[in-house]
Amino acid sequence: MTKDVIALTSRMPDPWAVLAGLLSGGPDKLVGTRGDGAVIQLCDPEGRPLVSVEAPLLVSVEGEAERLLGTTGPPVPYWWTEARATTGVAEAEQLAGTFATRLASLVGGSAWPPDAAGSLTVVRTDGVSVAPEPAAAQPAIDVLTEKVAVVIQDRPVVAMTAWLSDAFRAAAQAGLGLQIVSPAGTMLSPAVRDTLGGWPSRWIVQDERDGYYDGLTGAVLRWQDGMFAPPASPGATEDDPHAPVAATFQEVHDTGERQLALTFRLVHPADERLVLGGGLETVWRELTGEPPSGWGTSEPANLPWSPRRLTDVAHERAPEPTWFVVVGPRSRPGVATVRITRTAAGVEEHVTLAFGYGDGEELPLGALPATAEALATRHRLQSMLVQVRKARRDVAVPPRFEGPGVPLAFVLGAEEVRAMPGDRARRTPLAEQPLSLGPRTRPALYYQLPGDPSDLSGWQEYEQLMRHLKGA
């Protein structure tokens, strides 16, 4: 049974419905709160949490339940209420299931996953106790060592939920890596992949043949010295650990699916009239014909697309950085992550975006120059890299080798072109000279690269271009 249980309801869970759910452990079960009341917990006799319940989230974006849970949610808007059971306590899992079942039956809806739905009767937890602090201090963290925080996720897609976001934040503040453990068949949201970072943070996948392996690199892993790491191999060095690669990771089948991936940075002057998100919306419209459908500060993306509301949230959090996830309509799968920061140069938007295409669907490559020009002339583009890669249409990240992206194009913003000495930006080692975008007096430059997914030589040309632009 999964450790996370979710109630999807057409009506907002009112206090009486939540109370009825909390009574699933009987009237004598202790109730506590965290996060200024945003999380309610059912606790053992020592006050340690058995089940943690997040505040209900109103979801006004279609397709999020399908994308993240593989199920059909109620018509939007609907309420998404998560309950997380403490790992390794069977009664806690039953409590979470009964809580969600009671909530769904009282306000109309369903519990996910279907086999986690419990009965409406009280769950007996007499004598049940959980691990002492600090392992139970953070509801999303299952194991805590001196090196890493470990989170166990049994969901179709490991998403950047509020739970997981809190775990990332807690681990970073403690100077620890975050390791996510999931069963075979689970996939990763691009939002989590882009946040995971490097060693010792990892996505660990359980496997029948090799035990555990890294879902992004395939390296076989073992629990040792307080974290998951590759076993030592004879002759291994820091540069070449000789780590074996899991057989499951290497099972690759080309389905013809592709992704168009864009990474770009915009730099705006700090101004009270500034509205963020316009550059991302421009890219979405130019390449798909539609704007994004929703956004949020965690997954599921719960708010209808609104650059103005996004800007308000970023403004309220300044000068601290702000992170967003943005999703598109189901007709064209797309997920973006946006990080907004205040720097000496102004307000920066760093965007990572991917659109998915099925076998036989044409990628909008012809629209790329016009998209780049719109960013350069209207949204203060600093730079952009466009890649194509063999990857899933739904843009979820599987625990199998998908291959690296291959560069299609690189774009240098007008200010960066102007700052380069002489005509270095125009005279490059590439076969094709750059295309000028925007005004002749202050052009941005579009560098065309091979972009053949079956030929990695595109990276050689890209690296050659980077060395040239840096004057190396």
Side-chain angles (χ1 to χ4, degrees), residues 51-68:
V51 176
S52 299
V53 180
E54 188 83 3
L57 181 70
L58 180 63
V59 178
S60 301
V61 181
E62 292 187 353
E64 286 297 87
E66 290 86 343
R67 181 174 74 91
L68 300 176

Side-chain angles (χ1 to χ4, degrees), residues 14-339:
D14 58 70
W16 290 108
V18 174
L19 179 61
L22 292 172
L23 289 173
S24 57
D28 58 343
K29 196 57 56 191
L30 297 177
V31 176
T33 62
R34 291 179 62 89
D36 296 326
V39 177
I40 301 176
Q41 298 175 320
L42 287 173
C43 303
D44 68 5
E46 302 300 322
R48 295 183 294 252
L50 290 164
V51 176
S52 299
V53 180
E54 188 83 3
L57 181 70
L58 180 63
V59 178
S60 301
V61 181
E62 292 187 353
E64 286 297 87
E66 290 86 343
R67 181 174 74 91
L68 300 176
L69 303 178
T71 190
T72 301
V76 294
Y78 62 88
W79 294 88
W80 180 302
T81 308
E82 294 209 15
R84 180 170 175 81
T86 296
T87 304
V89 182
E91 292 83 359
E93 298 174 18
Q94 295 172 26
L95 278 172
T98 299
F99 169 83
T101 300
R102 286 188 174 193
L103 204 62
S105 65
L106 287 170
V107 296
S110 60
W112 178 93
D115 60 0
S119 69
L120 300 178
T121 59
V122 171
V123 177
R124 297 299 176 187
T125 58
D126 298 339
V128 173
S129 184
V130 298
E133 307 280 8
Q138 166 57 247
I141 294 176
D142 297 292
V143 177
L144 195 63
T145 74
E146 294 181 353
K147 298 179 179 178
V148 297
V150 179
V151 175
I152 299 173
Q153 290 275 275
D154 187 359
R155 305 164 75 127
V157 177
V158 178
M160 185 56 79
T161 60
W163 300 109
L164 195 55
S165 179
D166 287 344
F168 270 107
R169 190 177 302 110
Q173 290 174 350
L176 303 174
L178 186 74
Q179 298 194 333
I180 302 170
V181 181
S182 64
T186 296
M187 291 182 287
L188 207 63
S189 164
V192 178
R193 178 196 58 200
D194 296 343
T195 308
L196 197 55
W199 181 91
S201 297
R202 294 181 184 273
W203 173 33
I204 296 105
V205 180
Q206 295 175 317
D207 184 64
E208 290 184 356
R209 287 177 284 184
D210 292 295
Y212 297 93
Y213 69 93
D214 189 309
L216 298 179
T217 68
V220 174
L221 304 172
R222 298 288 182 268
W223 181 259
Q224 52 192 6
D225 299 326
M227 66 177 180
F228 283 97
S233 301
T237 65
E238 185 175 340
D239 294 332
D240 185 5
H242 293 181
V245 177
T248 302
F249 184 80
Q250 300 178 68
E251 294 174 351
V252 180
H253 304 284
D254 188 356
T255 62
E257 294 176 301
R258 298 290 186 271
Q259 288 179 17
L260 184 63
L262 302 92
T263 303
F264 57 92
R265 186 185 296 270
L266 312 176
V267 182
H268 312 277
D271 190 301
E272 291 185 356
R273 296 169 296 177
L274 173 64
V275 177
L276 301 166
L280 177 58
E281 179 174 333
T282 294
V283 172
W284 225 292
R285 288 184 181 276
E286 290 283 343
L287 298 181
T288 72
E290 299 179 272
S293 59
W295 69 284
T297 56
S298 62
E299 292 179 296
N302 65 310
L303 299 169
W305 176 246
S306 170
R308 172 57 64 184
R309 291 190 65 185
L310 182 149
T311 302
D312 290 342
V313 172
H315 183 73
E316 290 170 3
R317 295 186 176 184
E320 295 298 317
T322 305
W323 180 94
F324 300 110
V325 61
V326 181
V327 299
R330 282 178 286 182
S331 58
R332 174 59 59 209
V335 175
T337 57
V338 183
R339 184 174 177 83

Side-chain angles (χ1 to χ4, degrees), residues 372-374 376-377 414 435-445:
E373 185 164 29
T377 56
L435 174 67
S436 292
L437 305 176
R440 290 185 178 182
T441 55
R442 296 177 64 86
L445 295 179

